[in-house]
Amino acid sequence: MTPRTFLVNGLLAGLVAAIAAFVVAYTVGEPQIDTAISLEEAASATTSDGHDHAHDHDEAGAHTHSHGDGGTTVSREHQATFGLATAILALSLAYGGVLGLIAAFATGRLGRLTAVGSTAVVSLIAFVAYALVPFLKYPATPPAVGDGDTIGERTGLYFGFVLVSVLVAAAAVVLAVKLFPKLGGYGAIVSGAAAYVAVMLVAGGLFSTVNEVGDFPADILWFFRRDSLLTVATTWAVLGVVLTGLVLRSQNQVAAAAEKREAALAL
């Protein structure tokens, strides 16, 4: 199989993952955002901070949400449907394409694993290193949480931690591959995983802590973060399962074509 095959399979998997993630995000995530926005509106109605903080209604009577001077007013209905779908589709396709290429590179380089096994392992590592661990350090926050003046700093911390996590995960995989001849599969995997956990615990302690929750209700914050993680997990679970299945199909097609060629040559 060529890298192009993996890339196409990754994009197809990303499309399927986008559909599943949108259903989850729209069903369980958007209600929590609506609740957070309602709290934000209630707080803005009782305080006078000198900022232009507009919550309007469009001509159809739909609620709109905007911040800042001259900000574009976008219907909340459009945010929760077309906007959400577009964002999830773009991210899922990007994840799928990159994951497919990484799986192509990893094939034949992870011990005795086949293309299917390598794809499954790469998908799991990508979810843990890129999505899960950074989320545990810097979980998602709903509207009305966080100081607007620190958005840049918080964004930098998050993506910095993502970069560290991905690099450490890659190093842990290399370590496991090198230890495989001496320790076997089980020992190599445990050693690599332990090294990743140890380094990330240190990194988690070194990176600054963000504590800007204020008096936001703890239960609503918990539900929002739980549902955000559920959406992320759905994206990567579907992405990994579908991509692995497509790689298996492609592998079987290649094997079947090879058998036909051998049979033709034998005649």
Side-chain angles (χ1 to χ4, degrees), residues 25-41:
Y26 184 78
T27 303
V28 302
E30 287 302 314
Q32 304 304 327
I33 295 179
D34 288 336
T35 301
I37 290 176
S38 298
L39 291 173
E40 186 182 19
E41 290 176 335

Side-chain angles (χ1 to χ4, degrees), residues 192-217:
Y196 173 79
V197 171
V199 175
M200 292 312 299
L201 285 175
V202 174
L206 293 177
F207 271 70
S208 301
T209 298
V210 175
N211 186 12
E212 298 182 0
V213 176
D215 58 354
F216 192 84

Side-chain angles (χ1 to χ4, degrees), residues 57-69:
H57 290 78
D58 60 18
E59 295 178 357
H63 181 71
T64 58
H65 191 77
S66 66
H67 295 269
D69 297 330

Side-chain angles (χ1 to χ4, degrees), residues 173-194:
V173 171
V174 173
L175 174 64
V177 172
K178 289 185 177 296
L179 292 177
F180 176 77
K182 296 180 180 180
L183 303 181
Y186 179 79
I189 292 173
V190 170
S191 298

